Amino acid sequence: MFALIYDEFDPTMRKKEVISVHKTRETAEKALEKRMQKLGKRVWECHTRIVWVYKRPRAGDYVTPDAFETWAPGEKIPAGDLVPDGD
């Protein structure tokens, strides 16, 4: 199960609010696009990201880092995301 979460990338803020829940990454990406248009911001300005959640949450619930991953098990990770930024 995929979810859009509100994430300010602050390590002290472990609880992340679930914005919406989706069966596929594609529908989550469409929801993220709609959110960006609604807010009139780019993806990094929305503080929103797509994650794979182990147990199905509801919109408005909170999840902690041990409840989600960036990629679903077995999901093909794009080559650009395999190499860390920097060197």
Side-chain angles (χ1 to χ4, degrees):
M1 191 69 31
F2 293 91
L4 274 136
I5 61 170
Y6 185 77
D7 189 359
E8 292 180 308
F9 301 100
D10 180 352
T12 64
M13 301 291 289
R14 291 189 36 85
K15 292 173 118 181
K16 311 295 181 184
E17 183 179 1
V18 176
I19 298 167
S20 59
V21 181
H22 307 274
K23 290 183 180 180
T24 66
R25 183 170 289 275
E26 291 76 25
T27 57
E29 288 173 355
K30 287 178 186 176
L32 180 56
E33 287 289 329
K34 286 182 182 179
R35 181 170 169 77
M36 290 181 344
Q37 289 175 356
K38 178 182 170 185
L39 297 174
K41 296 181 178 184
R42 291 171 272 185
V43 69
W44 59 88
E45 296 172 320
C46 292
H47 300 291
T48 306
R49 67 178 175 134
I50 300 170
V51 295
W52 169 260
V53 288
Y54 296 112
K55 294 182 181 178
R56 184 184 182 116
R58 293 183 180 166
D61 286 352
Y62 287 85
V63 293
T64 56
D66 58 337
F68 63 85
E69 297 286 338
T70 301
W71 301 100
E75 185 176 15
K76 184 177 180 183
I77 301 170
D81 289 344
L82 291 172
V83 180
D85 294 341
D87 297 341

